Amino acid sequence: MAAQGRHGGKKSNKMTALVVDDNTVNRMIHHRLLDNLGIENVAVVNGKEAVDIHCSGKTFDLILMDMDMPVMNGIEATRQLREMGIRSMIAGVSTRSMEREIREFIEAGLDDYQEKPLTMSKLISIIHKING
Amino acid sequence: MEQIEKHDYLQAHQKQPISQLVRSRKETEQEKMVKAETDEQHNEHQYEQNELEAEPGERGRKKPQTLACFSCQIPLKTCAEDSTIPVAKTGLPVWMLGLAADRLRADTNRLLAFLFHQGILDEQFLQLQQLEDETSPNFVSEVVNIYFHESEKLLRNLRSLLMDREFSDYNKMGIHLNQFMGSSSSIGAKRIRNVCVAFRAASEQNNRAGCLRALELLEHEYCFLKNKLHELFQIQQQRALAAGVRYPMQN
């Protein structure tokens, strides 16, 4: 049986990540950032697909969750993943900067929040929290 | 982007705030422009000299270009006359193609310095360029072209909503705006992002007139950015072609 990582991901040499964002440009950039760090990653286009991929049995060390998405937004998706017992690092990534909006997102179950645009240094700071 | 140029950007970016980076680039570009103008003046002078020394019947006629060394003014032999001169596929001496590559590089730097100085782009564009490498040499242009394609759809949607006499769905407008804002900030389109912030504020206040004004400004900024980035990619394409000609594949 595969050992569990600190945040519930399958422990292996290669870290894994899930990008959840409805915007194609953001998905491409986040995918490339993760690729450059040697992190295997998959991208989905809304919160429902993020929940569904976990229901299929897949788990990830890191989830980059956008807030505003159609079908199911990031707040609702985060809430559902936590209710399912997913303990992966979930980092919210959004253009929102108002405190009350961010607080609602964090209270849904985020481990971290970063304002867009996501940069390499922001991503590294998120990853340090996984390994720390 | 060439590794050396990327390194220059990274070095400057890591050590200096963006405003200093842009200032130092401007100074460098100004020096290059002055040198380029001096070289052009020298070339014109050289041509005038050639005209004066030509036979009366030959003045003004299109004659084979007389090339001379810029520093010592010794006439250079053509490649046909001197087989020791390395020749590119164009038939021109290889050293001449370097001048075109240098000019294109200066054009790239000048345009980027302008875009940063005017606040049209910010350091996120540099971050994007850093993601480009040998495995994805066209990453920036691919992402930006997708950005253009999606942005035009979003702008059409926003205009269509606001032009509707019975418009009242500010939530729907907010969704399109968030999309536009997110992708604009991800590619470093700073001015567009700032206009989106103002647009969002007007939308949250249900201020239709404010939204219309913001939309017009957004459309204007978007057109400007698109033209400038197209120009940048064209120059970069020319540089890639020049590099390919300058260093032809050996069979």
Side-chain angles (χ1 to χ4, degrees):
Chain A
M1 188 170 159
Q4 290 293 304
R6 182 170 178 262
H7 284 268
K10 184 176 160 188
K11 194 175 172 89
S12 66
N13 288 335
K14 216 158 188 180
M15 198 178 277
T16 58
L18 176 67
V19 174
V20 190
D21 202 311
D22 61 329
N23 185 284
T24 310
V25 167
N26 293 336
R27 278 201 309 277
M28 279 179 78
I29 293 172
H30 296 173
H31 170 75
R32 187 95 186 126
L33 281 168
L34 291 162
D35 261 356
N36 280 10
L37 288 174
I39 298 174
E40 274 179 17
N41 62 96
V42 169
V44 295
V45 301
N46 59 51
K48 184 174 184 306
E49 289 192 10
V51 170
D52 289 346
I53 201 168
H54 281 88
C55 288
S56 72
K58 288 199 169 67
T59 55
F60 304 89
D61 297 297
L62 169 65
I63 301 170
L64 294 177
M65 183 76 77
D66 183 24
M67 188 159 112
D68 298 296
M69 292 179 288
V71 184
M72 187 187 291
N73 66 28
I75 295 173
E76 185 55 33
T78 303
R79 205 170 278 139
Q80 285 202 21
L81 288 172
R82 292 306 190 207
E83 284 169 6
M84 285 164 61
I86 300 299
R87 293 288 162 255
S88 308
M89 157 74 87
I90 304 180
V93 188
S94 174
T95 53
R96 303 280 186 167
S97 56
M98 285 179 65
E99 200 185 318
R100 63 170 173 80
E101 292 166 331
I102 298 168
R103 197 184 311 128
E104 189 187 357
F105 200 3
I106 291 173
E107 285 170 0
L110 294 183
D111 295 297
D112 195 7
Y113 176 85
Q114 295 287 349
E115 195 176 337
K116 277 179 185 168
L118 189 66
T119 61
M120 188 58 86
S121 56
K122 287 180 185 176
L123 184 56
I124 288 171
S125 79
I126 294 170
I127 290 163
H128 279 156
K129 290 180 183 172
I130 300 174
N131 297 328
Chain B
M1 196 178 193
E2 289 177 8
Q3 286 300 317
I4 293 170
E5 213 172 59
K6 191 189 282 190
H7 177 72
D8 288 342
Y9 271 101
L10 286 174
Q11 284 284 76
H13 176 60
Q14 282 160 8
K15 290 179 184 170
Q16 298 174 326
I18 193 70
S19 55
Q20 279 185 25
L21 168 64
V22 171
R23 253 202 307 280
S24 62
R25 282 199 187 285
K26 268 201 94 168
E27 285 161 14
T28 307
E29 284 314 308
Q30 278 172 355
E31 283 167 21
K32 285 182 182 175
M33 281 170 72
V34 167
K35 184 180 178 307
E37 283 169 10
T38 307
D39 286 347
E40 274 191 80
Q41 284 167 5
H42 180 90
N43 293 349
E44 282 172 14
H45 177 66
Q46 185 64 41
Y47 178 70
E48 284 165 9
Q49 283 288 98
N50 292 343
E51 279 285 277
L52 285 171
E53 288 162 11
E55 297 290 330
E58 287 181 351
R59 280 179 199 151
R61 274 170 53 180
K62 197 170 178 184
K63 23 195 278 190
Q65 196 170 9
T66 305
L67 299 172
C69 173
F70 293 139
S71 57
C72 60
Q73 299 190 26
I74 296 173
L76 298 172
K77 292 180 183 177
T78 64
C79 307
E81 292 164 359
D82 187 345
S83 60
T84 64
I85 297 173
V87 173
K89 282 185 177 177
T90 59
L92 289 172
V94 167
W95 66 267
M96 271 197 76
L97 299 173
L99 298 175
D102 285 345
R103 174 60 64 93
L104 290 170
R105 185 175 170 168
D107 288 345
T108 302
N109 289 343
R110 195 179 306 129
L111 181 53
L112 280 171
F114 168 77
L115 291 172
F116 283 115
H117 185 256
Q118 295 295 313
I120 295 161
L121 292 179
D122 63 19
E123 60 187 10
Q124 181 61 18
F125 190 77
L126 292 176
Q127 293 273 337
L128 207 63
Q129 289 179 321
Q130 287 174 37
L131 296 177
E132 208 166 66
D133 59 21
E134 312 78 42
T135 62
S136 267
N138 301 315
F139 179 73
V140 176
S141 59
E142 284 169 9
V143 169
V144 170
N145 283 325
I146 290 172
Y147 168 76
F148 288 153
H149 179 71
E150 298 209 333
S151 298
E152 279 157 32
K153 269 196 298 189
L154 290 168
L155 284 169
R156 276 197 299 273
N157 291 343
L158 286 166
R159 184 154 278 280
S160 163
L161 279 171
L162 278 168
M163 288 295 110
D164 183 357
R165 280 187 186 176
E166 291 167 14
F167 165 72
S168 62
D169 196 347
Y170 285 93
N171 275 343
K172 195 169 183 181
M173 191 161 67
I175 290 167
H176 294 315
L177 207 42
N178 280 338
Q179 281 263 341
F180 199 6
M181 195 163 153
S183 52
S184 299
S185 67
S186 291
I187 69 152
K190 182 179 174 186
R191 276 223 300 237
I192 288 179
R193 187 192 185 277
N194 291 344
V195 177
C196 285
V197 170
F199 197 153
R200 187 154 78 181
S203 169
E204 286 167 355
Q205 291 162 13
N206 291 3
N207 177 355
R208 188 172 174 177
C211 289
L212 265 169
R213 276 196 299 275
L215 176 62
E216 279 165 13
L217 187 54
L218 204 54
E219 286 166 339
H220 169 79
E221 289 292 340
Y222 171 76
C223 278
F224 188 76
L225 176 71
K226 186 175 178 182
N227 286 339
K228 287 298 170 193
L229 288 180
H230 270 320
E231 193 182 325
L232 180 69
F233 296 145
Q234 271 172 0
I235 298 171
Q236 288 176 341
Q237 231 176 11
Q238 286 167 14
R239 284 179 66 190
L241 287 170
V245 168
R246 189 178 179 189
Y247 301 106
M249 294 285 285
Q250 300 296 325
N251 292 327

